[in-house]
Amino acid sequence: EGYMGVWRHPTNAPSRQDPSPDTWPRGELETVRFHPYSVHLGAALAADSSPGDRAAGYAGALRHAVARGYSGWTAEELLAPLSAALVGGPWRACVVQAGVNDVVGGASAERTLPHVLALYAACDRAGVPVVVVPNTDADLVHHGMCADGVGARRELVELARLLSEAAREKGRPVARAREEMPMEPSHSHLWDDCVHYSAAGAAVMAKIVYRTMCDHDL
């Protein structure tokens, strides 16, 4: 998650106060920043002192988060860099959230599913537990690269369902980010734009992922 080698990366996005592009004055967009939730997840892991860690002799070595995110990459394109990163372990777990760029590009949930499952399979081969994060909601009607925002949003909902179903069949931990971070007015403070989390949203996402890891003794 996050953006590879990027922290303070500028982007044109809706105002945090009013996320609807329909209300923007023509030509006036607020510049916001991406907020990788791995920073908050790493802080939680750094403070982790679970007995399992001590018994395994980790001595804090696996109490940090390494972000590997590639802006705009599809799930299929992520397989090679993920496989390379897995070699550099040991890893406590691998948190995978992928597929939204596939859908934005016009792919269906059915077509995207096997590419995301291939990422999980790569972790299995490396002996690294997977924490599945089904894609959170996205207002793709307002995504400049999405030709059919309404249809793509439906596909994203279906992809999240398929990923959750596949994960549970394999007994994989599933983070309830979609349920706990709905894209609606009462949760607008969690979003910077139609797809990216705000600083507050990143903090919430990190808590959801960390809780999922703890609930599954990871």
Side-chain angles (χ1 to χ4, degrees):
E1 64 86 26
Y3 290 80
M4 182 62 178
V6 176
W7 170 245
R8 296 180 61 78
H9 182 70
T11 181
N12 287 328
S15 165
R16 291 184 177 86
Q17 287 71 41
D18 190 340
S20 173
D22 296 332
T23 66
W24 299 345
R26 185 178 294 259
E28 296 183 15
L29 304 180
E30 180 184 1
T31 297
V32 298
R33 308 286 185 180
F34 291 130
H35 303 283
Y37 67 83
S38 58
V39 173
H40 301 284
L41 179 59
L45 293 172
D48 191 329
S49 58
S50 66
D53 277 357
R54 291 196 295 272
Y58 291 161
L62 302 187
R63 294 177 187 166
H64 64 281
V66 176
R68 288 293 183 269
Y70 298 80
S71 182
W73 287 39
T74 64
E76 183 177 14
E77 293 170 327
L78 291 174
L79 181 58
L82 173 62
S83 300
L86 288 168
V87 176
W91 302 106
R92 175 171 174 168
C94 183
V95 181
V96 178
Q97 182 181 29
V100 67
N101 290 321
D102 305 62
V103 173
V104 166
S108 66
E110 184 177 358
R111 178 181 170 188
T112 303
L113 178 65
H115 297 306
V116 181
L117 295 183
L119 301 177
Y120 304 164
C123 296
D124 291 341
R125 290 191 296 272
V128 179
V130 178
V131 177
V132 174
V133 183
N135 289 294
T136 45
D137 197 7
D139 185 6
L140 297 181
V141 171
H142 294 123
H143 196 297
M145 297 174 62
C146 196
D148 177 12
V150 174
R153 195 173 190 176
R154 285 197 300 266
E155 291 299 325
L156 200 60
V157 171
E158 176 65 5
L159 177 61
R161 185 190 70 80
L162 292 173
L163 290 174
S164 297
E165 183 179 273
R168 293 191 176 98
E169 288 178 357
K170 292 282 189 177
R172 303 188 195 279
V174 179
R176 291 177 51 82
R178 173 169 278 268
E179 293 84 355
E180 297 186 33
M181 296 182 63
M183 186 169 276
E184 58 184 24
S186 63
H187 291 78
S188 61
H189 63 290
L190 302 180
W191 303 90
D192 257 350
D193 58 15
C194 65
V195 67
H196 296 109
Y197 311 132
S198 65
V204 171
M205 174 61 83
K207 290 179 181 178
I208 294 169
V209 172
Y210 180 68
R211 185 176 68 239
T212 303
M213 292 178 69
C214 291
D215 288 347
H216 292 81
D217 296 322
L218 294 177

